[in-house]
Amino acid sequence: MHNQEITFFADVSAMNATSTPPIVNIDHLKQACGNCSLGALCLPMGLDDKDVDELGRIVKRNRPLHRGDHLFRMGDPFHSIFVVKSGSVKSYSSAQDGDEQVVGFHLPGEMLGLDAIDRGIHTCAAIAMETTAVCELPFDRLEDLASRLPSLQHQLFRLLSKEINREEEMLLVLGKKSAEERLAAFLFSLSARYKRRGYSDREFNLSMSRQEIGNYLGLAVETVSRLFTRFHEDGLLEAQRKHVHILDMERLESMVSACTGAMHQHARMG
Amino acid sequence: MHNQEITFFADVSAMNATSTPPIVNIDHLKQACGNCSLGALCLPMGLDDKDVDELGRIVKRNRPLHRGDHLFRMGDPFHSIFVVKSGSVKSYSSAQDGDEQVVGFHLPGEMLGLDAIDRGIHTCAAIAMETTAVCELPFDRLEDLASRLPSLQHQLFRLLSKEINREEEMLLVLGKKSAEERLAAFLFSLSARYKRRGYSDREFNLSMSRQEIGNYLGLAVETVSRLFTRFHEDGLLEAQRKHVHILDMERLESMVSACTGAMHQHARMG
DNA sequence: CGTAGCTTTGAAGATTTTCAACCTTAGTGG
DNA sequence: CCACTAAGGTTGAAAATCTTCAAAGCTACG
């Protein structure tokens, strides 16, 4: 818990290095947002207490999801965007011929649902990969608030733009990188995201299967499995199923050099 | 010219099938936006004349670009988003190791620069592929206006979201589709975009080289070339360098079935 | 403790890339 | 006007990468 609150600050200051310093203090934030990661929306824009309260009030807290529960499905009407509080969520889209593409994995603090704004329906499905808590931000209320708070509006534009960036980097990975580079980039990304959350960047548990990793990276399961084996043999990491221990972070990073920040993070609210 | 004005309506009505009908008439639009494709921003939201004027006033008209001119480069400070009026623009990002990835081709009416909002610097470069006219929308002024016009704000959120969708569909193409399906999807997309613009959907000139197509689709030039030859042999199309004549649209579409709307369009303003 | 699902491994096969050569076109300058 | 050149495009053959198929191992969960 505490860890999380601290992370808000870290995220926000990183995100906001060049803008105005936060005015709202951490107590207001906790009060307004609860455990939900709204740091990036609240802090960097000099909202007064009333505004923070208002933002806090529109947040819905939902009952936790279990593994396999859908947060939404393709074609569902769009009402809200979501922020992962704990656990993890996979979003995926499917084509007419049945092909499915994992579009992203969402760790705590990361946001999803932005792609549904355009058509007012969800174009991806989102499913909990483990027991997961999310908070829900009704988008119409967020828009109302944003039109009264220019800096909130700006933050929302930035979030959407950040998501575009993330996907452009992913296009580079899928379009130009070898299987080895893809998996390295993926692991490096996860590592960075866990670190940012205050967890170890060298040792963590994957919440997704080899199958899902392969799907995300445009590779066959077997290829992913072989790569884990090879990385292990090369002393890059130890991997026992879901558990990953990165042994040589520098070499991992050097394998990724190409993919600057690819996959490093989703649109985040904190 | 006239063609363009008419196309605004087509675009907007398509985009806005489920929302309120346009209030501003075409004369106001022409007056406010000139040749610039702002239909999607102006029309569907019931702006009054003053608002339309205001939106029109923030549009900058720049001198035309020549082939090879950069609209912006990676790392340039972000000030404006751009709409292609005529010609075509390629946007591409490069990784540390020098790999370049073409992120998109922008035809008239399509928008670019949205990915720069987040960090305030351009993360892609944009270069004219032929003689090209764009109009420029200073983003800070757009934000000002959006915070006073909730429906403009909403349109902007939709535009960003649409771009996210387009890229998610592209992820599916790069992650799951064969070379053949990729090229088919690309050509089908171009066809649809030309059609929408009032041009022939069966016969058009590519503004990009085989190299650029290959880069965009994650394929080697030679593969693209071979595919054109194969498509030709199969009676799918006739292709002489840049000139493409699609002979069997149905079969082309069936090859694409998978990639629902992939690459079909960029964020558009009209 | 048995079964289903995920993971690993090997071998064969397919697709795509790479390398090398040649062709075509558009533009340039004599 | 023609030849030359550079850039882009095409083609073939060899090589690499990745996928597919098949089978077996492991783990977790009921």
Side-chain angles (χ1 to χ4, degrees):
Chain A
M1 288 300 144
H2 255 237
N3 220 337
Q4 281 205 341
E5 305 302 331
I6 290 160
T7 315
F8 291 160
F9 268 115
D11 287 348
V12 167
S13 49
M15 181 168 188
N16 213 45
T18 59
S19 346
T20 48
I23 293 180
V24 178
N25 73 31
I26 193 75
D27 292 327
H28 294 144
L29 181 65
K30 279 158 89 169
Q31 177 204 332
C33 307
N35 284 329
C36 184
S37 314
L38 295 177
L41 280 182
C42 299
L43 277 181
M45 45 195 181
L47 304 185
D48 62 26
D49 292 4
K50 190 170 65 61
D51 295 337
V52 175
D53 283 349
E54 213 163 335
L55 185 54
R57 262 199 301 278
I58 74 170
V59 178
K60 285 193 202 169
R61 289 170 189 74
N62 297 333
R63 68 181 185 297
L65 299 162
H66 300 110
R67 174 178 172 76
D69 288 348
H70 272 86
L71 197 46
F72 48 79
R73 291 169 197 272
M74 266 182 82
D76 282 357
F78 167 63
H79 299 300
S80 301
I81 58 182
F82 297 89
V83 183
V84 178
K85 290 201 284 190
S86 64
S88 49
V89 174
K90 170 181 82 172
S91 55
Y92 63 97
S93 64
S94 32
Q96 290 169 349
D97 61 0
D99 267 3
E100 284 191 357
Q101 172 72 38
V102 173
V103 167
F105 299 111
H106 310 268
L107 304 187
E110 296 172 351
M111 188 179 295
L112 62 157
L114 299 173
D115 55 348
I117 297 171
D118 176 41
R119 289 189 241 168
I121 54 173
H122 285 284
T123 54
C124 290
I127 190 170
M129 293 192 291
E130 58 192 308
T131 302
T132 294
V134 298
C135 61
E136 180 177 349
L137 299 167
F139 191 69
D140 52 359
R141 306 199 55 185
L142 210 50
E143 278 189 307
D144 282 351
L145 196 55
S147 65
R148 280 179 290 127
L149 304 173
S151 48
L152 175 60
Q153 187 195 58
H154 185 67
Q155 286 307 111
L156 286 172
F157 285 138
R158 283 185 63 190
L159 281 171
L160 282 149
S161 175
K162 190 190 276 283
E163 187 68 9
I164 293 170
N165 273 286
R166 192 189 69 83
E167 287 178 1
E168 283 178 358
E169 286 167 17
M170 199 62 201
L171 289 180
L172 181 80
V173 171
L174 293 185
K176 296 278 166 298
K177 302 301 173 185
S178 68
E180 186 179 288
E181 290 170 309
R182 292 184 204 185
L183 185 61
F186 175 68
L187 291 172
F188 192 71
S189 154
L190 279 184
S191 167
R193 287 151 75 189
Y194 281 122
K195 184 178 192 176
R196 169 172 278 247
R197 262 330 242 186
Y199 301 114
S200 168
D201 61 336
R202 301 186 167 266
E203 207 161 356
F204 46 82
N205 284 296
L206 301 172
S207 48
M208 65 294 286
S209 67
R210 302 285 189 269
Q211 176 66 61
E212 290 168 319
I213 296 172
N215 186 307
Y216 181 56
L217 298 176
L219 301 171
V221 202
E222 295 93 329
T223 306
V224 174
S225 181
R226 275 183 254 270
L227 284 169
F228 268 110
T229 306
R230 177 136 58 92
F231 284 0
H232 199 144
E233 287 166 1
D234 292 355
L236 203 63
L237 51 74
E238 287 169 349
Q240 310 256 359
R241 304 224 142 205
K242 307 277 188 197
H243 187 258
V244 173
H245 185 182
I246 297 173
L247 297 173
D248 191 342
M249 188 67 80
E250 285 184 18
R251 195 142 52 92
L252 186 65
E253 183 165 10
S254 73
M255 294 169 67
V256 184
S257 65
C259 333
T260 321
M263 295 181 288
H264 280 192
Q265 54 181 321
H266 285 270
R268 295 172 60 92
M269 295 189 100
Chain B
M1 289 301 142
H2 255 237
N3 220 338
Q4 282 206 339
E5 305 303 332
I6 290 161
T7 316
F8 290 160
F9 269 114
D11 287 348
V12 167
S13 50
M15 182 170 187
N16 212 43
T18 58
S19 345
T20 48
I23 292 181
V24 179
N25 73 32
I26 194 77
D27 292 327
H28 292 145
L29 181 65
K30 279 156 90 168
Q31 176 204 333
C33 308
N35 283 329
C36 184
S37 313
L38 295 177
L41 279 183
C42 299
L43 278 181
M45 46 196 182
L47 303 185
D48 62 26
D49 291 4
K50 188 171 64 62
D51 295 337
V52 175
D53 283 349
E54 212 162 336
L55 184 55
R57 263 200 301 278
I58 73 170
V59 179
K60 284 193 201 167
R61 288 171 192 73
N62 297 334
R63 68 180 186 296
L65 300 163
H66 300 111
R67 175 176 171 77
D69 288 348
H70 272 86
L71 197 46
F72 49 79
R73 291 170 196 272
M74 265 182 83
D76 282 357
F78 168 63
H79 300 299
S80 301
I81 58 182
F82 297 90
V83 183
V84 178
K85 288 202 283 191
S86 64
S88 49
V89 174
K90 171 181 83 171
S91 56
Y92 64 97
S93 65
S94 31
Q96 289 169 349
D97 60 0
D99 267 5
E100 285 191 356
Q101 172 72 39
V102 174
V103 167
F105 300 110
H106 309 268
L107 304 187
E110 295 171 352
M111 187 180 294
L112 60 157
L114 298 173
D115 55 350
I117 297 170
D118 177 40
R119 290 190 241 168
I121 55 173
H122 285 283
T123 54
C124 291
I127 190 170
M129 294 192 292
E130 58 193 306
T131 302
T132 295
V134 298
C135 61
E136 180 177 349
L137 300 167
F139 191 68
D140 51 358
R141 306 199 55 186
L142 211 49
E143 277 188 308
D144 283 350
L145 196 54
S147 65
R148 279 180 290 125
L149 303 173
S151 48
L152 175 60
Q153 187 195 59
H154 185 68
Q155 286 307 112
L156 287 172
F157 285 138
R158 283 185 63 189
L159 281 172
L160 282 149
S161 175
K162 189 190 276 282
E163 187 67 10
I164 293 171
N165 273 286
R166 192 189 69 82
E167 287 178 1
E168 283 178 357
E169 286 167 17
M170 198 63 200
L171 289 180
L172 182 79
V173 171
L174 293 185
K176 296 278 165 298
K177 302 301 172 186
S178 69
E180 185 178 290
E181 290 170 308
R182 291 184 205 186
L183 185 61
F186 175 68
L187 292 171
F188 193 70
S189 155
L190 279 184
S191 168
R193 286 151 75 189
Y194 281 122
K195 184 178 192 178
R196 171 173 277 247
R197 251 352 238 181
Y199 301 114
S200 169
D201 60 337
R202 302 185 165 267
E203 210 162 355
F204 46 83
N205 284 295
L206 301 173
S207 48
M208 66 294 286
S209 67
R210 301 285 189 269
Q211 176 66 61
E212 290 168 317
I213 296 172
N215 187 307
Y216 181 56
L217 298 176
L219 301 170
V221 203
E222 296 93 330
T223 306
V224 175
S225 181
R226 275 184 254 270
L227 285 169
F228 269 110
T229 306
R230 178 137 57 92
F231 283 1
H232 199 145
E233 287 166 1
D234 293 355
L236 204 62
L237 50 74
E238 287 169 351
Q240 311 256 357
R241 303 225 143 203
K242 307 275 189 199
H243 187 259
V244 173
H245 185 181
I246 297 174
L247 299 173
D248 191 342
M249 189 66 82
E250 285 184 19
R251 196 141 53 90
L252 186 66
E253 183 165 10
S254 73
M255 293 170 68
V256 184
S257 66
C259 333
T260 322
M263 295 180 289
H264 280 192
Q265 54 181 323
H266 285 269
R268 294 171 62 91
M269 295 188 102

